[in-house]
Amino acid sequence: MVAKGEGSRCYDALKALLLDGEIAMGTRLTEADLATRLGSSRTPIREALRRLHAEGFIEFSANKGYAAASYTTDTVREIYHCRALIESEAVRLAAHAGLPPETRLALEAIVEETEDLFGSEEDPATVRARFLALNNRFHRELYEACPNRTLLALVKRTSAIPRTIRHYFHFDDAEVRRSHDQHRAILRAITLGDAERAAALMREHIWSAKDRMIADPDTAPTFDPAPHRELQWATF
């Protein structure tokens, strides 16, 4: 019998390994190996695999069993199309409802802390790592203000893609700055209650990230010659 919460612990741990890039795309996942790695029995591992398969984080084939999901450029394009739709709607609803004072203050603090990064004398890799953390906090705080909790669950599901697929280390300083300026404009539109403009700005923010990820000829993904083209790296 599975101990209460053991299945959830294994699910959370395995999902974190996938999102952190600790398990590479296409890696075969076996119950025995994962049970050893996570210090668990096979039954909760099996439960975790089923949940993650249902959510699209892993794939299953009758011949090979489970494997970490692979992302192609078309997959990423589809993900960002969905993100643009639902995240802009989450922002629109948040603007209509009005930000709680504590949320507005938290978002303003994040924006100002991010602004301070641009005058930092730290090395660029450290600055961009801190920027990514602040970026994640900004989006998380903002979406939590969405009054539609079902939509919020969809936002969390769609934005949960591996960090090896979305990172800022291939962006130059101007692109990082542009992303920050977009955050500031989105927050201003929401604060002013301009819901439609806030939604439009968020759509552009998401589309800009997608374009930088797969359209830049200098940093575009490289592909194997196989018909199924795996994404070698990406950002955001």
Side-chain angles (χ1 to χ4, degrees), residues 17 55 71-72 109 116 121 123 127 143 160 179 195 198 215 219 230-231:
L17 290 172
E55 294 175 2
Y71 293 79
T72 67
D116 292 341
E121 295 183 359
D123 67 276
V127 169
Y143 298 144
S179 180
T219 55
E230 279 195 0
L231 193 66

Side-chain angles (χ1 to χ4, degrees), residues 187-204:
L187 179 56
R188 176 172 173 75
I190 293 172
T191 302
L192 294 174
D194 193 341
E196 299 305 323
R197 177 160 177 75
L201 288 168
M202 180 56 77
R203 278 194 298 274
E204 178 58 29

Side-chain angles (χ1 to χ4, degrees), residues 29-196:
L29 304 172
T30 67
E31 292 177 13
D33 289 343
L34 290 172
T36 299
R37 185 168 187 172
L38 300 180
S40 179
S41 64
R42 293 192 183 192
T43 302
I45 294 296
R46 192 176 304 124
E47 176 187 328
L49 288 170
R50 287 171 179 165
R51 287 180 63 185
L52 290 165
H53 176 247
E55 294 175 2
F57 292 106
I58 61 177
E59 299 165 345
F60 179 81
S61 68
N63 295 328
K64 297 182 179 180
Y66 290 109
S70 294
Y71 293 79
T72 67
T73 50
D74 286 341
T75 303
V76 172
R77 188 177 289 108
E78 290 175 359
I79 289 171
Y80 274 78
H81 180 77
C82 291
R83 287 190 61 189
L85 290 172
I86 63 178
E87 293 180 38
S88 63
E89 177 63 6
V91 165
R92 189 184 70 82
L93 293 175
H96 267 307
L99 293 177
E102 61 274 17
T103 300
R104 180 177 57 80
L105 290 173
L107 288 168
E108 289 174 350
I110 292 169
V111 167
E112 292 311 310
E113 186 176 350
T114 306
E115 184 69 32
D116 292 341
L117 288 178
F118 296 105
S120 172
E121 295 183 359
E122 296 179 277
D123 67 276
T126 299
V127 169
R128 291 181 188 185
R130 289 179 60 195
F131 175 80
L132 179 57
L134 288 166
N135 171 83
N136 291 342
R137 282 174 52 197
F138 180 88
H139 283 265
R140 185 167 58 249
E141 288 278 353
L142 181 55
Y143 298 144
E144 284 293 340
C146 173
N148 186 322
R149 309 319 282 178
T150 300
L151 181 61
L152 177 59
L154 291 174
V155 168
K156 291 179 178 179
R157 165 85 176 271
T158 307
S159 62
I161 59 176
R163 292 182 182 89
T164 51
I165 299 294
R166 51 172 192 163
H167 61 79
Y168 275 96
F169 294 94
H170 292 275
F171 284 10
D172 61 30
D173 292 342
E175 289 169 328
V176 172
R177 178 78 207 204
R178 189 177 305 115
S179 180
H180 166 63
D181 289 341
Q182 289 172 340
H183 283 182
R184 186 184 291 278
I186 291 166
L187 179 56
R188 176 172 173 75
I190 293 172
T191 302
L192 294 174
D194 193 341
E196 299 305 323

Side-chain angles (χ1 to χ4, degrees), residues 8-23 37-38 52 57 161-164:
S8 293
R9 183 189 73 81
C10 290
Y11 164 83
D12 290 338
L14 181 53
K15 184 176 180 179
L17 290 172
L18 293 165
L19 292 179
D20 288 340
E22 295 295 324
I23 297 177
R37 185 168 187 172
L38 300 180
L52 290 165
F57 292 106
I161 59 176
R163 292 182 182 89
T164 51

